[in-house]
Amino acid sequence: MGKDNQILVEITSKEYEHGWAVDVDTDSAPIGLNEDTIRFISKRKNEPEWLLEWRLGAFRTWSKMTEPKWANVSHPPIHYQNIIYYSAPKQRVTPKSLEEIDPEMLKTFERLGISLTEQKRLTGVAVDAVFDSVSVATTFKDKLGELGIVFCSFSDAVKEHPDLIKKYLGSVVPVNDNYFAALNAAVFSDGSFCYIPKGVRCPMELSTYFRINAANTGQFERTLIVADEGSYVSYLEGCTAPMRDENQLHAAVVEIYAMKDAEVKYSTVQNWYPGNKEGVGGIYNFVTKRGLCAGDHSKISWTQVETGSAITWKYPSCILKGDYSTGEFYSVAVTNNHQQADTGSKMIHIGKNTRSRIVSKGISAGKSQNSYRGQVQILKRATHSRNSSQCDSLLMGDTCGAHTFPYIDVENSSSRVEHEATTSKIGEDQIFYCLQRGIDEEAAVALIVNGYAKEVLNQLPMEFAVEAQKLLALTLEGSVG
Amino acid sequence: MNTATDKKNLLDEFYSTFNASGHQTNPAQRQAMEWLMTKGLPHLKSEEYRFTPIVRTLEKVFDPSPGAIIHKNVPDADLSLIPRMPCNVIAFINGVFSRTQSIILDDGLHINSSDSTLANEDDDPFALLNHAFTSESIHISTNEGIAIKHPVAIVYYFDTTTFAFSNPRWSCTVGRHSSLTLLEYEINAGAGKHFNNKQTDILVAEFGQLEYTVIQNGLLNTVQINNTRVHLASSAHTACFTFSFDGQLVRNNLTLILDGEKIDAHLYGLYMVTKNTLVDNHTVVDHRKPNSFSNQLYKGVMDGNSRGVFNGKIYVRSNAQKTNAFQSNRNILLGDNTTVNTKPQLEIWADDVKCSHGCTTGQLDEEALFYLQSRGIGKDMAKGMLLTAFATETVASMKHTVIKNFLESIISTRLQSSN
Amino acid sequence: MLDITNLKARIENKQILNGVNLRVNAGEVHAIMGPNGSGKSTLASVLSGREEFEVTDGSVDFMGKDLLEMSPEDRAREGIFMAFQYPVEIPGVSTINFMKTALNKIREHRGLPAMDAVAFLKVMKEKMKLVEIDQSLLNRSLNEGFSGGEKKRNEIFQMAMLEPKLAILDETDSGLDIDALRIVANGVNKLRRKDNAIIVVTHYQRLLEHIIPDFVHVLYQGKIVKSGTKDLALELEAKGYDWIKNELAIA
């Protein structure tokens, strides 16, 4: 109960908080994209031949694809040849300990509230910090290692656990899945890898923190989580970027593989730079996130709080292949000024007695457009399956738009699907009631919006929930009155 | 006649049929045909036809050379669907309007025919097709301030033994402060196939009232496309009912444009189908001005290998404040090979509105079933009762009691025979 | 404490208050009665700062400050509390959370440090007892799904928490059964002090059997037409509002 209040007190800044950039010496790929770029990236990362081939295959696939146009967003054409696909902080050697990491970079993460140094670490959260294209540090590695948990940068995983990577890379999001996934497969630079062995319950939250720093750079990270039989892990993801006038592309892929009885909870607080009030700059966030409930009784739960990015294109999904498997999607998406979000979820029911739940809360303000796009598909053999979806939209003003595009396809007669959507606004009566109790309008809006989004925010781990509530309030500042 | 191998693609088939017809000399029709050729026919990747293989189905049904169709005189009684209900009649015999078969009973009701108006380049491909093949548009209108006593029955009478390609077009204006009941249906006297590609534009003027019921009970080898647009002026009241019982493929595009304030618009639909029937309802409710109300209720009862598609769009434009717009789609799947594809879609640009949509797909409520059984009602009967209750909700608010009773009896008969 | 002079207000061109004069001192309870449409709720709304009402004339002095110049939240922070006739529902926001936010905003305004969770809970428990309200109700979303009685009790609980200088109870008795009325009235009575004042706006006399007013005023056609002691309320109950109307007609 205390956390809302604390947040309201803390809200003082009006602008995007994380909009600064730091000078860190970088090692970058030449601008543009061709097979040489991919060889460059692969070589820089000392990758094995099979991975280079995999990337080149992806590049060839991508070259034949066209950018999808179906999302309810508009933007000037993206010039894929004007992007730098690899940018790494210059580090002569791989840091063996934190002392060897560029102090400028350590400070960057400190400023973001993420301490990589031992004594200041958040207890109970292990962090993998990704700066531009590479992972710079992973904390608590040893402690997790004792349980057999692998939590490291993707590059390290390729070297240290090639069999796992070979087996699961692309197993949930195949190379040719979509345009941005193919692009990612070709040029991904780093990311996090996590493996939870059979029967292990990960004792702490695992977290990846992404930071785009360099200009003209795209960020293409890849996360792979493999949860073996009966294991459990809760995973958090955060992200920020400097304020820049040009748009930057972020095309990430997250794959989750859950075996029998495994449970994975994946939470995101997405706070990429959204562009300024006139809609200049900001991140294009085109992300493919998908989980495969491969085993019976497995469960994957996505929670996302989307406040940043100029454009968000993102549909965390669950493929419910195992019988009795469960998929969940909880989302709050806030758009203000000129932001555009087209986000939602897909639940594909393949196994029998599978369950899914979708809760989406959209909040639109300013001149923004906020779309929910989702699909619930119950295949013929997925008998006795259930889905319930709730999609609510809150509009603030008549210059923004709220859209819902749910696709519901049911192919057997023993399953049951329920979908509900509503649209509302913040009542003047609600605001006045708060005012009469001494709560000013900005705080009242924050309070009401947080109440509206509560069902989703409740899904987040405590540390993230606080951050998320602050963000909601910040994003909507100045949108009332 | 045609084997699968030498079959041309459907669009070319339309084109050559057009060029061989008398329509090709009419510039407006020629223009519509050219636009269609540029635009092409929808395929399964077209967003609006994702689940409806309309071209594939038409390729099987369409016959470019069906032989001459005889326009014979039909006894009046053969044109009626509901016995002993006097109606004004607008008759299309094998797709062609027949003035002699049409009947006007009421004063203040007018039927005119006019030559083809120009289609719109961005019309639906099937609207363009209709324009290409039909020059004549029938216009139904009422005086102002009059309640037309008898329903106007729009009858599509088919007696072909081979194939009929039918492109009827009519429009209707309900005058200010007037009220009208429209009833539209098919009569199939022959066992031939047909493709009935209908185009309708309705205007309900200020304070006008319209109750419009469509009953789709075609044969299993027929394809129907209904493009219907209804424009509503301020304080107009309208209720549109669409009942789909049979046919191979039925596609209904029903668009309501609420271009005034204080409009009251209701859309009801029931698709109760078996076998291989595919029914696809696409509705658009477009709120363009403030203070109006719309409500949609579409229900499906699916059996056999049937498929039901529902796509309901609600638009609330930025100046349509204080709009109330609701939509509900409920489906019961009885057969294991049935499929329902639903896409309710809300697009809202105004903040002071109340909008919601809900949809469910599933089975009869087990609790309710058990409740009835525990009162001594057998399971099949209990099921029948619950299904009837479920389905007849779509006619509950119909004002014309004769049509309403007729529909209720069709619904219960069909539900009994399916058990 | 409160000095209302010749207050005139309207909503959308409809004049509702036609020159209200009222003086409320610390320690006093005033009842404002009147038939439907006389302007009682308008007066409460104008004092709490609802924007729909336009003040066309007159002044309101609250503890030496011009009340009409203040925003609604500043009025609340200065010590005006309105118990709403129809408390609004706010989904997802618990009463506890809501009160903690409000209380700390008010404390901040008064230059007091924010209350931490422990201290807040302690105060809350005390006040809960005062108005006989259960914590489970306070954990729920504000007023959502509350019965009429629960909503009103929640209003009085909030009054207890925020310790206003001047509380305005707008038709707090409406929709309450006898038991709920007694609980609400008891709560209010326990909050009566020498340094605060209460204005009870009501149509009926029955609330005044439980909250004994020092003064009773009759508002009619936007003016206070009669003032007296609690006996006036009884007289009104016996003779009905027509009595006032007739008396005015004669005069």
Side-chain angles (χ1 to χ4, degrees), chain A residues 12-300:
Chain A
T12 43
S13 104
K14 287 264 175 195
E15 296 287 337
Y16 184 71
E17 277 190 293
H18 308 292
W20 36 268
V22 289
D23 279 326
V24 173
D25 249 358
T26 55
D27 169 25
S28 302
I31 200 160
L33 180 57
N34 52 43
E35 295 204 0
D36 290 340
T37 323
I38 288 158
R39 288 178 208 284
F40 174 94
I41 296 170
S42 192
K43 193 166 177 205
R44 276 291 186 284
K45 307 188 73 66
N46 295 317
E47 283 177 358
E49 189 61 25
W50 69 265
L51 192 51
L52 173 63
E53 282 309 316
W54 191 77
R55 286 175 180 277
L56 289 170
F59 173 73
R60 287 162 203 151
T61 304
W62 177 77
S63 307
K64 288 185 211 114
M65 296 170 96
T66 50
E67 207 181 298
K69 294 277 180 255
W70 44 260
N72 189 27
V73 297
S74 64
H75 55 82
I78 299 168
H79 300 291
Y80 291 93
Q81 295 304 336
N82 287 348
I83 296 171
I84 296 169
Y85 286 86
Y86 181 82
S87 166
K90 231 177 223 161
Q91 293 244 335
R92 249 130 266 160
V93 284
T94 324
K96 290 204 183 54
S97 72
L98 289 161
E99 286 71 46
E100 291 176 26
I101 294 177
D102 186 338
E104 212 33 67
M105 216 150 50
L106 277 181
K107 263 192 258 165
T108 302
F109 282 97
E110 297 275 349
R111 273 176 85 178
L112 293 167
I114 297 152
S115 181
L116 302 175
T117 51
E118 296 285 348
Q119 66 272 28
K120 286 186 190 163
R121 278 179 199 166
L122 278 169
T123 40
V125 183
V127 179
D128 181 26
V130 177
F131 191 88
D132 287 338
S133 299
V134 295
S135 170
V136 292
T138 309
T139 63
F140 287 109
K141 223 171 150 173
D142 302 340
K143 197 174 167 201
L144 294 167
E146 289 166 18
L147 292 164
I149 296 170
V150 179
F151 180 47
C152 61
S153 73
F154 210 97
S155 315
D156 289 349
V158 169
K159 292 186 194 87
E160 292 160 25
H161 307 277
D163 294 344
L164 283 172
I165 298 292
K166 231 173 168 169
K167 185 165 177 194
Y168 293 107
L169 177 66
S171 65
V172 184
V173 180
V175 160
N176 59 358
D177 186 80
N178 68 70
Y179 188 78
F180 298 111
L183 178 63
N184 175 285
V187 303
F188 78 93
S189 40
D190 212 335
S192 305
F193 171 72
C194 164
Y195 171 78
I196 316 289
K198 211 179 244 189
V200 172
R201 207 183 152 82
C202 184
M204 60 179 79
E205 310 275 350
L206 301 187
S207 167
T208 306
Y209 201 95
F210 298 106
R211 173 79 181 168
I212 296 181
N213 191 64
N216 287 320
T217 315
Q219 178 148 326
F220 308 91
E221 81 278 353
R222 203 166 174 108
T223 301
L224 174 59
I225 300 170
V226 180
D228 213 324
E229 287 183 16
S231 65
Y232 168 85
V233 65
S234 168
Y235 201 95
L236 318 174
E237 176 200 280
C239 38
T240 56
M243 292 197 267
R244 296 193 190 278
D245 284 347
E246 90 265 17
N247 298 110
Q248 280 176 282
L249 179 63
H250 172 248
V253 170
V254 176
E255 295 181 280
I256 301 176
Y257 194 99
M259 297 182 214
K260 189 168 171 283
D261 296 318
E263 181 179 348
V264 179
K265 204 171 149 60
Y266 194 104
S267 313
T268 307
V269 173
Q270 187 265 106
N271 184 29
W272 296 116
Y273 177 52
N276 70 8
K277 284 201 162 60
E278 283 71 47
V280 178
I283 303 292
Y284 291 167
N285 191 36
F286 301 152
V287 174
T288 306
K289 291 186 169 176
R290 189 175 305 150
L292 172 64
C293 284
D296 295 352
H297 296 280
S298 55
K299 179 176 178 184
I300 293 175

Side-chain angles (χ1 to χ4, degrees), chain B residues 54 115 141 161 188 192 217 236 258-259 292 298 328 354 379 394:
Chain B
I54 197 137
D115 247 9
S141 60
T161 52
N188 287 284
N217 51 344
L258 282 68
D259 206 2
S292 286
Y298 271 74
S328 173
K354 285 200 188 83
K379 191 165 184 177
T394 53

Side-chain angles (χ1 to χ4, degrees), chain C residues 5 8 27 32 34 37 42 49 139 171 177 195 200 203 232 234 237:
Chain C
T5 314
K8 294 182 182 175
I32 294 180
T42 301
N139 284 330
E171 308 262 3
D177 61 28
D195 61 347
V200 183
H203 185 82
L232 178 58
L234 291 172
E237 185 80 359

Side-chain angles (χ1 to χ4, degrees), chain B residues 31 34 112 180 238 259 270-271 275 303 385:
Chain B
Q31 179 65 76
E34 295 301 332
N112 297 298
L180 181 68
T238 194
D259 206 2
L270 174 67
Y271 37 103
K275 304 201 177 74
D303 210 340
M385 283 170 76

